[in-house]
Amino acid sequence: MNTIDTQVAIIGAGPSGLLLGQLLDKQGISNVILERVTGDYVLGRIRAGILEQGFADLVREAGVAERMDTEGEIHEGVEIAADGERFHIDLKGLTDGDVVICYGQTEITRDLMDARAEAGLKTYYEATDVELHNVTEENPSVTFGYQGEQYTLNCDYIAGCDGFYGPSRQTIPADKRTEHERVYPFGWLGLLSDTPPVSEELIYCKSESGFALASRRSATRSRYYLQVPLTVTVDDWSDDDFWEELKRRLPADAAASLVTGPSIEKSIAPLRSFVCEPMQYGKLFLVGDAAHIVPPTGAKGLNLAASDVAALYQIMTRIYQENDTDCISRYSEVALRRVWHGERFSWWMSNMLHNFGDEVATGMQSETFARFMDSERDYYLRSEEGRKVIARQYVGLPYEEV
Ligand code: RFL
Ligand code: PHB
């Protein structure tokens, strides 16, 4: 058995784990990351594209912002196309000048991985059988297998950054946590292509045949999504089928100028709202998707992971620099307040912009629910105060001090 000592054990080398590790290192707090898959596998997962200001500032604080600040695109607005019209949400004008940055999660992850390697910080990729021990006691530890040998990682604290399916959340006894969940009756089929995007700004589209999103990664790389039933698989959709359906759902003038081409990635993500309460148990802190999932409609998943990281980073800094452990119990409260705002916004945007068909999840007839949502769009998209509410939440609510 090999033994390693560190201050903070981080489980998961997704954006949450990597960003936390980098920030802690800046404060001289030692940390080791355990990751189940290879670095290339992590980089192959095509996910978020929109970063809030708070996230970008945290990446700058971690000293890893150079490429994000040169290659990332500043987006001052987004469009919502619905009911035959295009509505412009002027993010910058409707907030205090706030904007979002369009820069892929893959790129942020790559930048963080490179910085970690450069700083000589340890990540065990392809770690097996990761198990957490003694999380409510003085000396927690994590055991794992690596290249055929067994390891024990002794630590002061554990950050569970291991996504929705990781072991951290399950370590909290079932009678000590409450899980809230809403599974939606559809998923998003995403397609990445090296084609010029159809629009400079993102277009969220509500159409008769379902939701679509026109997003981008750069002037030459597009990312599009279609709402699809849960019964289909990626193999059911050829590239030609995808482009044809996308044209049907985009506003007519955008569809007319759409440039199509071969896909370089295609995948389906189910839509879910999920929150685990509390997010801290003894010496274990849940961070990001390990504690909460949002449907991607509000572009909030990665951004909520970042606000968790910001809160935990403050707590760890206070523990190690000021010997203040009282702040530990504030983590859940502070993180969850912002998480629930993001959950509500993502749920609401999803309700407004998707077709729910015959699903009656709200205790009312599906046609009645659709009418409520028609009215919701009518009010929020046609009035400036409505667009202001959307803009404020889209750019992100402020971070709270712990
Ligand atoms: P991750 O990225 O899932 O990383 C968790 C890591 O933990 C590892 N792991 C383990 N490691 C060791 N031992 C084990 N037993 C382990 N089990 C798991 C996993 O291999 C993985 O590497 O969680 P993290 O770091 O919290 O990051 C969260 C984000 O990835 C997620 O919230 C966003 O991608 C959500 N999301 C979006 N968020 C935004 O803010 N803006 C967006 O525009 C946006 N678009 C999206 C999205 C998510 C999508 N999908 C596919 C779900 C678009 C899509 C389509
Ligand atoms: C993306 O570009 O992948 C993306 C952008 C905005 C969203 C979801 C996904 O709301």
Side-chain angles (χ1 to χ4, degrees):
M1 175 70 84
N2 304 281
T3 305
I4 313 159
D5 294 311
T6 194
Q7 287 171 313
V8 181
I10 299 176
I11 306 178
S16 302
L18 289 166
L19 181 57
L20 179 66
Q22 208 59 30
L23 287 164
L24 293 180
D25 182 61
K26 289 268 153 203
Q27 298 298 329
I29 302 168
S30 66
N31 62 88
V32 168
I33 300 186
L34 309 179
E35 168 57 54
R36 186 176 55 86
V37 297
T38 63
D40 281 347
Y41 189 93
V42 173
L43 290 173
R45 293 191 291 231
I46 308 297
R47 291 183 171 177
I50 294 294
L51 312 178
E52 295 173 356
Q53 201 91 50
F55 184 107
D57 288 344
L58 212 53
V59 174
R60 289 183 191 117
E61 187 161 344
V64 191
E66 200 179 313
R67 219 158 58 90
M68 178 189 78
D69 280 333
T70 48
E71 295 175 24
E73 299 177 341
I74 305 275
H75 283 212
E76 297 184 356
V78 293
E79 269 195 75
I80 299 181
D83 311 312
E85 285 183 55
R86 295 171 75 157
F87 298 90
H88 183 244
I89 312 287
D90 175 8
L91 298 173
K92 192 173 185 182
L94 292 168
T95 62
D96 302 324
D98 288 351
V99 294
V100 291
I101 297 180
C102 185
Y103 186 62
Q105 177 168 334
T106 310
E107 304 309 319
I108 281 283
T109 308
R110 190 191 309 279
D111 297 343
L112 287 164
M113 278 179 179
D114 289 351
R116 188 166 178 88
E118 207 168 296
L121 304 176
K122 188 66 190 163
T123 308
Y124 290 86
Y125 284 101
E126 298 186 275
T128 60
D129 306 312
V130 170
E131 277 182 40
L132 294 74
H133 307 277
N134 303 335
V135 299
T136 55
E137 290 167 31
E138 206 41 52
N139 298 304
S141 64
V142 185
T143 52
F144 64 101
Y146 179 68
Q147 295 186 345
E149 298 204 27
Q150 282 304 306
Y151 286 77
T152 298
L153 176 58
N154 295 314
C155 55
D156 301 331
Y157 297 96
I158 301 174
C161 304
D162 46 358
F164 185 63
Y165 298 101
S168 295
R169 189 176 66 254
Q170 310 300 336
T171 303
I172 305 178
D175 64 344
K176 296 278 193 270
R177 62 184 142 97
T178 304
E179 296 186 346
H180 304 270
E181 187 171 48
R182 181 338 180 204
V183 178
Y184 298 79
F186 41 73
W188 278 19
L189 168 64
L191 179 146
L192 190 70
S193 63
D194 278 328
T195 53
V198 72
S199 163
E200 302 230 318
E201 293 185 345
L202 269 62
I203 316 177
Y204 292 80
C205 314
K206 161 84 169 79
S207 83
E208 292 274 308
S209 39
F211 172 82
L213 170 61
S215 182
R216 51 189 285 146
R217 290 292 178 270
S218 70
T220 55
R221 182 166 284 190
S222 303
R223 179 70 166 163
Y224 297 107
Y225 295 97
L226 293 176
Q227 171 187 354
V228 292
L230 288 173
T231 44
V232 304
T233 66
V234 173
D235 297 335
D236 296 329
W237 284 82
S238 67
D239 288 358
D240 286 346
D241 290 344
F242 186 100
W243 293 121
E244 209 174 295
E245 186 57 30
L246 182 64
K247 278 185 190 161
R248 231 191 312 275
R249 297 187 191 185
L250 288 174
D253 42 353
S257 66
L258 179 72
V259 179
T260 65
S263 63
I264 49 178
E265 194 267 357
K266 241 185 328 195
S267 51
I268 294 184
L271 264 65
R272 181 193 307 273
S273 297
F274 175 89
V275 181
C276 169
E277 298 178 315
M279 287 172 57
Q280 173 252 330
Y281 180 67
K283 303 282 183 79
L284 167 66
F285 298 84
L286 301 181
V287 181
D289 279 15
H292 42 77
I293 299 288
V294 287
T297 325
K300 288 287 163 256
L302 180 58
N303 291 306
L304 291 178
S307 51
D308 293 351
V309 168
L312 188 54
Y313 170 51
Q314 281 183 62
I315 288 173
M316 288 297 150
T317 306
R318 271 201 233 153
I319 292 173
Y320 287 106
Q321 292 182 355
E322 297 163 31
N323 216 9
D324 166 16
T325 49
D326 291 345
C327 57
I328 290 177
S329 61
R330 291 260 298 140
Y331 176 69
S332 257
E333 182 196 334
V334 169
L336 280 168
R337 198 170 5 254
R338 196 169 189 283
V339 164
W340 275 113
H341 283 301
E343 291 280 345
R344 191 208 61 79
F345 179 65
S346 307
W347 164 82
W348 178 76
M349 287 278 281
S350 301
N351 283 344
M352 258 201 324
L353 298 177
H354 291 81
N355 288 354
F356 282 73
D358 288 335
E359 199 228 23
V360 184
T362 50
M364 66 178 101
Q365 303 239 319
S366 53
E367 190 53 35
T368 311
F369 178 72
R371 286 281 193 283
F372 275 118
M373 291 307 124
D374 290 347
S375 162
E376 200 89 12
R377 283 194 309 282
D378 193 58
Y379 176 72
Y380 280 92
L381 296 176
R382 288 182 197 286
S383 68
E384 179 164 317
E385 68 261 33
R387 290 193 299 274
K388 238 180 184 163
V389 169
I390 295 176
R392 180 69 259 161
Q393 312 228 11
Y394 195 83
V395 299
L397 298 175
Y399 286 9
E400 194 179 323
E401 284 285 313
V402 176

